[in-house]
Amino acid sequence: MASTSFPSAPETSDSATPERTADLAANLAEIRERVNAASLSRKEEQVSLLVAVSKYKPAADVQVCYEQGQFDFGENYVQELVDKAKKLPQDIRWHFIGTLQSNKAKLLASIPNLYSMQTLASPKTADALNNALPEARLGRPLNVLLQVNTSGEASKAGLSPLSGSDPDDASSELVSLAKHVITRCPRLRLQGLMTIGSLAESLSGAEENVEAAMLRNTRDRLEQQLRDAFPDHNSKTGSSMWGDKGRLLLSMGMSSDFEAALRTGSDIVRIGTSIFGERHRKGET
Ligand SMILES: *Cc1c(COP(=O)(O)O)cnc(C)c1O
């Protein structure tokens, strides 16, 4: 990486072509329609959040979507996110959805409009983030979602789902991490749970998604554990210590399975390929 010894290309010149702009606008409109249609089938009144996953895609693509009213974007790599966040509008809400190495926590925490970190899986990373976030974040904490491994695949990150009996739940890593965030990390706010489902599941075409149902069940059990542990969780001001009025949100569903995930109760879907097209691997673009 000798990039610093060469002048970098002018950054303002690379705006999207008219063709690319039209494609992105059409894709985004179609995905929004499908998200809304799949969300309508649900019982509870629930707002779905579409996070457009822009990893490996140029800032110009993000800018086009932003101009179409898309404010939530997901990124997997800290440096790529830092570079884009500098170039793009400050009212974008960035969601970090990649693996975070603790030595990158400081860099990630320096992004003023970082809105969520969706892949939290250890107290060590929670502490690293909490300590790296600026003082101002006490009044505007960073949302974190705990990553759960619903497929059981060893290659996937995340903590085990809850499915056991109450005493097992109470001593699980997931429950202790949730409590750790609530009691020890004032610059973080526990917003919900996140999973990356397996490919087999996304190809099943089922009406509901088994792994999404597992995450939903885990959420219900975790909420129960937290209510038991913090009976006074609803403060007099009406704000709860976690989630949205005490309800933890679910982030699940990608291009291949977001409709089944929404029907199963997902709140946040993370969609890349269906909006931006196929990705080239890092370094190939
Ligand atoms: C890349 C990625 C997505 C988007 O996946 P698509 O299949 O392109 O929609 C969603 N979530 C995570 C965690 C990802 O890494």
Side-chain angles (χ1 to χ4, degrees), residues 22-65:
D23 279 352
L24 287 170
N27 292 348
L28 187 60
E30 188 204 319
I31 291 299
R32 281 178 175 156
E33 246 178 68
R34 287 170 59 189
V35 167
N36 287 339
S39 307
L40 282 179
S41 67
R42 301 183 299 196
K43 282 167 282 171
E44 297 165 59
E45 216 178 284
Q46 200 176 322
V47 180
S48 333
L49 178 66
L50 166 61
V51 175
V53 177
S54 47
K55 60 175 175 240
Y56 302 160
K57 299 294 175 182
D61 281 4
V62 175
Q63 182 68 36
V64 170
C65 295

Coordinates of all heavy atoms in Angstrom, one line a residue, residues 22-65:
A22 N -29.9 5.9 -13.7 CA -31.3 5.4 -14.0 C -31.5 4.0 -13.5 O -32.5 3.6 -13.0 CB -31.5 5.5 -15.6
D23 N -30.4 3.2 -13.7 CA -30.5 1.8 -13.2 C -30.6 1.7 -11.7 O -31.5 1.0 -11.2 CB -29.2 1.0 -13.5 CG -29.2 0.5 -15.0 OD1 -30.2 0.6 -15.6 OD2 -28.1 0.1 -15.4
L24 N -29.8 2.5 -11.0 CA -29.9 2.5 -9.5 C -31.2 3.0 -9.0 O -31.8 2.4 -8.1 CB -28.8 3.3 -9.0 CG -27.3 2.8 -9.0 CD1 -26.3 3.8 -8.7 CD2 -27.2 1.5 -8.1
A25 N -31.7 4.0 -9.7 CA -33.0 4.6 -9.2 C -34.1 3.5 -9.4 O -35.0 3.3 -8.6 CB -33.3 5.8 -10.0
A26 N -34.1 2.8 -10.6 CA -35.1 1.8 -10.8 C -35.0 0.6 -9.9 O -36.0 0.1 -9.3 CB -35.0 1.3 -12.3
N27 N -33.8 0.2 -9.6 CA -33.6 -0.9 -8.7 C -34.1 -0.6 -7.3 O -34.7 -1.4 -6.6 CB -32.1 -1.3 -8.6 CG -31.5 -1.9 -9.8 OD1 -32.3 -2.3 -10.7 ND2 -30.2 -2.0 -9.9
L28 N -33.7 0.6 -6.8 CA -34.1 1.0 -5.5 C -35.6 1.1 -5.4 O -36.2 0.7 -4.4 CB -33.4 2.4 -5.2 CG -33.6 2.9 -3.8 CD1 -32.9 2.0 -2.8 CD2 -32.9 4.3 -3.7
A29 N -36.2 1.7 -6.4 CA -37.7 1.8 -6.4 C -38.4 0.4 -6.3 O -39.3 0.2 -5.5 CB -38.2 2.6 -7.6
E30 N -37.8 -0.5 -7.1 CA -38.4 -1.9 -7.0 C -38.2 -2.5 -5.7 O -39.2 -3.1 -5.1 CB -37.8 -2.7 -8.1 CG -38.5 -4.1 -8.3 CD -37.6 -5.2 -8.9 OE1 -36.8 -4.9 -9.8 OE2 -37.7 -6.3 -8.4
I31 N -37.0 -2.4 -5.1 CA -36.8 -3.0 -3.8 C -37.7 -2.4 -2.7 O -38.2 -3.1 -1.9 CB -35.3 -2.9 -3.4 CG1 -34.4 -3.8 -4.3 CG2 -35.0 -3.3 -2.0 CD1 -34.8 -5.3 -4.3
R32 N -37.8 -1.1 -2.8 CA -38.7 -0.4 -1.8 C -40.1 -1.0 -1.9 O -40.8 -1.2 -0.9 CB -38.7 1.1 -2.1 CG -37.5 1.8 -1.5 CD -37.7 3.2 -1.9 NE -36.6 4.0 -1.3 CZ -36.2 5.2 -1.8 NH1 -36.7 5.7 -2.9 NH2 -35.2 5.8 -1.2
E33 N -40.6 -1.2 -3.1 CA -41.9 -1.7 -3.3 C -42.1 -3.1 -2.7 O -43.0 -3.4 -2.1 CB -42.2 -1.7 -4.8 CG -43.3 -0.8 -5.2 CD -43.5 -0.9 -6.7 OE1 -44.0 -1.9 -7.2 OE2 -43.2 0.1 -7.4
R34 N -41.0 -3.9 -3.0 CA -41.1 -5.3 -2.5 C -41.0 -5.3 -1.0 O -41.7 -6.2 -0.3 CB -40.0 -6.1 -3.1 CG -40.3 -6.5 -4.6 CD -39.1 -7.1 -5.3 NE -38.6 -8.3 -4.7 CZ -37.5 -8.9 -5.0 NH1 -36.7 -8.4 -6.0 NH2 -37.2 -10.0 -4.4
V35 N -40.2 -4.5 -0.4 CA -40.1 -4.4 1.1 C -41.4 -4.0 1.7 O -41.9 -4.6 2.6 CB -39.0 -3.4 1.5 CG1 -39.0 -3.1 3.0 CG2 -37.6 -4.0 1.2
N36 N -42.0 -3.0 1.1 CA -43.3 -2.5 1.6 C -44.4 -3.6 1.5 O -45.2 -3.9 2.4 CB -43.8 -1.3 0.8 CG -43.0 -0.1 1.3 OD1 -42.4 -0.1 2.3 ND2 -43.0 1.0 0.4
A37 N -44.4 -4.3 0.3 CA -45.4 -5.3 0.1 C -45.2 -6.5 1.1 O -46.2 -6.9 1.7 CB -45.3 -5.9 -1.3
A38 N -44.0 -6.9 1.3 CA -43.7 -8.0 2.3 C -44.0 -7.6 3.7 O -44.4 -8.4 4.5 CB -42.3 -8.5 2.1
S39 N -43.8 -6.3 4.0 CA -44.1 -5.8 5.4 C -45.5 -5.7 5.7 O -46.0 -5.9 6.8 CB -43.5 -4.4 5.6 OG -42.1 -4.4 5.2
L40 N -46.4 -5.5 4.7 CA -47.8 -5.3 4.8 C -48.5 -6.6 5.4 O -49.5 -6.5 6.1 CB -48.5 -5.0 3.5 CG -48.4 -3.5 3.1 CD1 -49.0 -3.3 1.7 CD2 -49.0 -2.6 4.1
S41 N -47.9 -7.7 5.1 CA -48.5 -9.0 5.5 C -48.4 -9.3 7.0 O -48.9 -10.2 7.5 CB -47.8 -10.1 4.7 OG -46.5 -10.3 5.1
R42 N -47.7 -8.4 7.7 CA -47.4 -8.7 9.1 C -48.5 -8.2 10.0 O -49.2 -7.2 9.7 CB -46.1 -8.1 9.5 CG -45.0 -8.6 8.7 CD -43.7 -8.1 9.1 NE -43.6 -6.7 9.0 CZ -42.4 -6.1 9.0 NH1 -41.3 -6.7 9.1 NH2 -42.4 -4.8 8.9
K43 N -48.7 -8.9 11.1 CA -49.8 -8.5 12.0 C -49.5 -7.2 12.7 O -50.3 -6.3 12.7 CB -49.9 -9.6 13.1 CG -50.7 -10.8 12.6 CD -50.5 -12.0 13.6 CE -49.2 -12.6 13.4 NZ -48.6 -13.6 14.2
E44 N -48.4 -7.2 13.4 CA -48.1 -6.0 14.2 C -47.8 -4.8 13.3 O -47.2 -4.9 12.2 CB -46.8 -6.2 15.1 CG -47.0 -7.3 16.1 CD -45.6 -7.7 16.6 OE1 -44.9 -6.8 17.2 OE2 -45.2 -8.8 16.4
E45 N -48.0 -3.6 13.8 CA -47.6 -2.4 13.1 C -46.1 -2.3 13.4 O -45.7 -2.1 14.5 CB -48.4 -1.2 13.7 CG -48.7 -0.2 12.6 CD -49.5 0.9 13.1 OE1 -50.7 0.7 13.4 OE2 -48.9 2.0 13.3
Q46 N -45.4 -2.3 12.3 CA -44.0 -2.4 12.4 C -43.4 -1.6 11.2 O -43.8 -1.8 10.1 CB -43.7 -3.9 12.3 CG -42.4 -4.3 12.9 CD -42.3 -5.9 12.8 OE1 -43.3 -6.6 13.0 NE2 -41.2 -6.4 12.4
V47 N -42.4 -0.8 11.5 CA -41.7 -0.1 10.4 C -40.5 -0.9 10.0 O -39.7 -1.3 10.8 CB -41.3 1.3 10.9 CG1 -40.6 2.1 9.8 CG2 -42.5 2.1 11.4
S48 N -40.4 -1.1 8.7 CA -39.2 -1.8 8.2 C -38.2 -0.8 7.7 O -38.5 0.1 7.0 CB -39.5 -2.8 7.1 OG -40.8 -3.2 7.1
L49 N -36.9 -1.1 8.1 CA -35.8 -0.2 7.7 C -35.0 -0.9 6.6 O -34.6 -2.1 6.8 CB -34.9 0.1 8.9 CG -33.7 0.9 8.6 CD1 -34.1 2.3 8.1 CD2 -32.8 1.0 9.8
L50 N -34.9 -0.3 5.4 CA -34.0 -0.8 4.4 C -32.6 -0.2 4.5 O -32.5 1.0 4.3 CB -34.7 -0.5 3.0 CG -33.8 -0.6 1.8 CD1 -33.4 -2.1 1.6 CD2 -34.6 -0.1 0.5
V51 N -31.7 -1.1 4.7 CA -30.3 -0.6 4.6 C -29.7 -1.1 3.3 O -29.7 -2.2 3.0 CB -29.5 -1.2 5.8 CG1 -28.0 -0.9 5.7 CG2 -30.0 -0.8 7.2
A52 N -29.2 -0.1 2.5 CA -28.6 -0.4 1.2 C -27.1 -0.7 1.4 O -26.4 0.1 1.9 CB -28.8 0.8 0.3
V53 N -26.8 -1.9 1.1 CA -25.4 -2.4 1.4 C -24.5 -2.0 0.2 O -24.6 -2.6 -0.9 CB -25.3 -3.9 1.7 CG1 -23.9 -4.3 1.9 CG2 -26.2 -4.2 2.9
S54 N -23.6 -1.1 0.4 CA -22.8 -0.5 -0.7 C -21.4 -0.9 -0.7 O -20.5 -0.3 -1.4 CB -22.9 1.1 -0.6 OG -22.7 1.5 0.8
K55 N -21.0 -2.0 0.0 CA -19.6 -2.4 0.0 C -19.1 -2.7 -1.4 O -19.8 -3.2 -2.3 CB -19.5 -3.7 0.9 CG -20.3 -4.8 0.4 CD -19.9 -6.1 1.2 CE -20.8 -7.3 0.9 NZ -21.6 -7.8 2.0
Y56 N -17.8 -2.3 -1.6 CA -17.1 -2.4 -2.9 C -17.7 -1.4 -4.0 O -17.2 -1.4 -5.1 CB -17.2 -3.8 -3.5 CG -16.6 -4.9 -2.6 CD1 -16.9 -6.2 -2.9 CD2 -15.7 -4.6 -1.6 CE1 -16.4 -7.2 -2.1 CE2 -15.2 -5.6 -0.8 CZ -15.5 -6.9 -1.1 OH -15.0 -7.9 -0.3
K57 N -18.8 -0.7 -3.7 CA -19.4 0.1 -4.7 C -18.9 1.6 -4.5 O -18.7 2.0 -3.4 CB -20.9 0.0 -4.6 CG -21.5 -1.3 -4.9 CD -21.2 -1.8 -6.3 CE -21.6 -3.2 -6.6 NZ -21.3 -3.7 -7.9
P58 N -18.8 2.3 -5.6 CA -18.2 3.7 -5.4 C -19.2 4.6 -4.7 O -20.4 4.4 -4.7 CB -18.0 4.1 -6.9 CG -18.9 3.3 -7.7 CD -19.1 2.0 -7.0
A59 N -18.6 5.7 -4.1 CA -19.3 6.7 -3.4 C -20.4 7.3 -4.4 O -21.5 7.7 -3.9 CB -18.4 7.8 -2.9
A60 N -20.1 7.4 -5.7 CA -21.0 8.0 -6.6 C -22.3 7.2 -6.6 O -23.4 7.8 -6.8 CB -20.4 8.0 -8.0
D61 N -22.3 5.9 -6.5 CA -23.5 5.0 -6.4 C -24.3 5.4 -5.2 O -25.5 5.5 -5.2 CB -23.1 3.5 -6.3 CG -22.8 3.0 -7.7 OD1 -22.7 3.7 -8.7 OD2 -22.5 1.7 -7.8
V62 N -23.6 5.6 -4.1 CA -24.3 5.9 -2.8 C -25.0 7.3 -3.0 O -26.1 7.5 -2.6 CB -23.3 5.9 -1.6 CG1 -24.0 6.4 -0.4 CG2 -22.7 4.6 -1.4
Q63 N -24.3 8.2 -3.6 CA -24.8 9.6 -3.8 C -26.1 9.5 -4.6 O -27.1 10.2 -4.3 CB -23.8 10.4 -4.5 CG -24.2 11.9 -4.8 CD -24.3 12.7 -3.5 OE1 -23.5 12.5 -2.6 NE2 -25.3 13.6 -3.5
V64 N -26.1 8.6 -5.6 CA -27.4 8.5 -6.5 C -28.5 8.1 -5.6 O -29.6 8.6 -5.6 CB -27.1 7.5 -7.6 CG1 -28.5 7.2 -8.3 CG2 -26.1 8.1 -8.6
C65 N -28.3 7.0 -4.8 CA -29.4 6.5 -3.9 C -29.8 7.5 -2.9 O -31.0 7.7 -2.6 CB -28.9 5.2 -3.2 SG -28.6 3.9 -4.4

